[in-house]
Amino acid sequence: MRGIAVLGSTGSIGKNTLSVIETLGDYKVVSVSAGKNIELLAEQIIRFQPKIAVCETEAGAKELSERLTDAAITTIPEILWGEAGMVAAATCPEVETVVSATVGAVGFIPTLRAIEAGKRIALANKETLVIGGELIIKTAAETGSKILPIDSEHNAIHQCLRGEQKSDISRLILTASGGPFLRTPIEHLSSVTRDQALAHPNWKMGEKITIDSATLMNKGLEVIEARWLFGIEPERINVVIHPQSIIHSMVEFCDGSIIAQLGAADMRHAIQYALTYPERRPVCNKRLDLLEVSALTFDKPEKDRFPCLWLAYKALAIGGTAPAVLNAVNEVTVRAFLDEKIQFQDIAAINESILNEHLPKPGDSVETLLEADRWARKRAIMEIENILGNMRLCSTAL
């Protein structure tokens, strides 16, 4: 049995990972971690009986302990919390593969520590490479840790590159659905609501990544991730809008050939591939029926509609700590939009303002990267408070 740690087990990737593990049969869930969904975490523990369970907070850990005691299960796991708990879950000796599926920067340190320990990483937490791509890849090379992408786009590229020479690659082509506002008049974007932004046309995902899909920041983060995963210069990483989400990504080679990976819009495909690589196992979910595909269309992403995508290219060009800053600010602004404190287009505006303000440093140490992350979050909170203050002043004046 292969030991698995699932960081972010109650999120969409985590839940799908547990479903895949159950189907495959020869994997053992050694450790799990979750944020605030303690009820679901308790259910997962009862079902999969991990050795370690991690909560976001000490209060959450106490609640989990009480739920498991009330459930009268025979074996209660070691219950930990916070970053230290996630590191323990990821580096447990019985763990062979770490599924890094947390949302946001919280996954960076636990994933890095797992790589330092030589674990195999099934990576869905794109922020890990966005924050410290250079450091992560360098560390993996030193320890022999293998990183397999779960993001459907990078997973597709990984499949397209099997057996190919890196020197033959002309460009990587990441596909994007375009989200819910692909055809919305740009002048209407300032008034879109939280619920409208969360109504993704193709994928059912967590709130944060769904908003990133609406702004196309998710694709910008994926460009940064692809740059480090595959060692390809940013100018050779392109993004195209593909509303049907059937082609998950493509690779163009020097002879003009383009190889694409197609599949149903179901994350279990990519998860199973990452867990079983280099093997391929019989599919555990819906297959793609080409006869049901009416058309495959492609569009160029508009800069005015999706400024966050171009901010990611800018952060890559600046280098060093700039991508970490952009990621941190975006996490804060997306949360503020979800809490209905700012408007949809404020996300990109604040992201750009603070990225421009940042004085980058080399991103070759954990301390420097985390310092940049903290600075960016503090500045973003200040900007949001300024916006809220101005809104209150306007309201008072009226």
Side-chain angles (χ1 to χ4, degrees):
M1 298 288 280
R2 304 178 189 179
I4 303 288
V6 184
L7 306 183
S9 65
T10 58
S12 59
I13 297 294
K15 289 185 290 186
N16 278 313
T17 296
L18 293 176
S19 172
V20 170
I21 288 172
E22 207 164 29
T23 301
L24 291 173
D26 53 349
Y27 291 80
K28 164 65 178 173
V29 178
V30 175
S31 53
V32 291
S33 79
K36 297 180 174 61
N37 195 342
I38 305 301
E39 181 180 0
L40 177 56
L41 180 60
E43 293 173 6
Q44 292 175 342
I45 291 168
I46 293 168
R47 186 166 187 171
F48 292 94
Q49 300 182 343
K51 177 180 178 180
I52 299 172
V54 184
C55 299
E56 183 178 356
T57 65
E58 186 174 3
K62 182 179 179 181
E63 180 187 343
L64 177 62
S65 179
E66 292 170 351
R67 284 181 178 273
L68 294 177
T69 300
D70 291 343
I73 64 173
T74 55
T75 303
I76 294 180
E78 182 180 7
I79 299 175
L80 307 171
W81 64 88
E83 183 181 282
M86 290 180 66
V87 170
T91 58
C92 176
E94 295 174 36
V95 169
E96 177 196 78
T97 299
V98 176
V99 178
S100 180
T102 57
V103 176
V106 68
F108 173 58
I109 292 296
T111 306
L112 174 61
R113 299 302 179 225
I115 291 171
E116 290 172 344
K119 306 294 186 184
R120 175 180 169 127
I121 308 297
L123 186 65
N125 176 261
K126 59 175 62 68
E127 290 83 1
T128 292
L129 285 170
V130 171
I131 293 170
E134 181 180 1
L135 178 63
I136 291 291
I137 296 303
K138 178 176 179 291
T139 304
E142 292 171 349
T143 65
S145 173
K146 189 165 188 63
I147 302 174
L148 281 301
I150 285 180
D151 267 347
S152 61
E153 295 80 5
H154 303 93
N155 190 275
I157 290 171
H158 192 278
Q159 295 193 51
C160 291
L161 290 177
R162 289 182 72 149
E164 301 291 347
Q165 298 295 321
K166 181 180 175 182
S167 58
D168 291 336
I169 300 172
S170 178
R171 61 179 175 140
L172 308 181
I173 306 170
L174 300 176
T175 57
S177 70
F181 306 130
L182 180 60
R183 306 301 177 201
T184 302
I186 292 175
E187 61 270 19
H188 293 172
L189 292 179
S190 61
S191 60
V192 301
T193 68
R194 178 185 189 277
D195 289 344
Q196 288 172 331
L198 288 172
H200 194 281
N202 298 340
W203 300 93
K204 184 177 181 181
M205 306 174 290
E207 289 184 341
K208 196 268 182 181
I209 192 172
T210 303
I211 300 302
D212 281 349
S213 295
T215 65
L216 229 61
M217 177 57 86
N218 74 314
K219 210 55 51 178
L221 299 180
E222 287 169 12
V223 169
I224 299 173
E225 188 179 5
R227 186 265 176 274
W228 296 112
L229 268 177
F230 305 109
I232 300 296
E233 300 82 1
E235 57 270 21
R236 293 199 289 142
I237 305 173
N238 298 157
V239 174
V240 298
I241 303 294
H242 171 52
Q244 296 81 23
S245 295
I246 297 298
I247 296 178
H248 295 151
S249 276
M250 299 171 272
V251 178
E252 181 183 67
F253 294 92
C254 58
D255 63 356
S257 297
I258 294 179
I259 295 180
Q261 190 269 334
L262 287 70
D266 189 325
M267 286 306 304
R268 289 175 294 176
H269 282 288
I271 293 166
Q272 179 172 303
Y273 176 87
L275 290 181
T276 63
Y277 177 86
E279 298 177 65
R280 287 190 185 271
R281 301 278 188 92
V283 69
C284 64
N285 49 291
K286 182 182 178 182
R287 293 176 181 269
L288 175 66
D289 185 346
L290 290 173
L291 296 180
E292 293 180 359
V293 179
S294 59
L296 301 178
T297 61
F298 305 93
D299 291 293
K300 183 177 180 179
E302 303 171 73
K303 287 189 176 183
D304 291 344
R305 183 180 299 279
F306 301 116
C308 283
L309 171 61
W310 310 104
L311 287 177
Y313 278 102
K314 181 176 181 177
L316 260 181
I318 295 170
T321 51
V325 164
L326 179 61
N327 176 73
V329 176
N330 185 67
E331 286 189 20
V332 175
T333 54
V334 168
R335 184 69 262 167
F337 173 72
L338 286 168
D339 291 341
E340 299 181 304
K341 294 179 178 179
I342 61 175
Q343 294 182 321
F344 182 74
Q345 288 185 310
D346 288 332
I347 296 173
I350 297 172
N351 290 352
E352 181 174 19
S353 173
I354 296 176
L355 178 63
N356 290 339
E357 182 182 337
H358 177 58
L359 299 176
K361 297 179 180 179
D364 53 2
S365 77
V366 171
E367 294 75 17
T368 300
L369 292 166
L370 293 182
E371 180 185 355
D373 179 276
R374 287 190 294 267
W375 174 85
R377 291 174 192 276
K378 183 177 179 180
R379 283 292 298 116
I381 291 169
M382 291 172 60
E383 287 296 313
I384 292 164
E385 288 176 348
N386 287 338
I387 290 173
L388 292 172
N390 291 334
M391 288 172 60
R392 285 192 288 268
L393 285 174
C394 291
S395 177
T396 302
L398 293 174

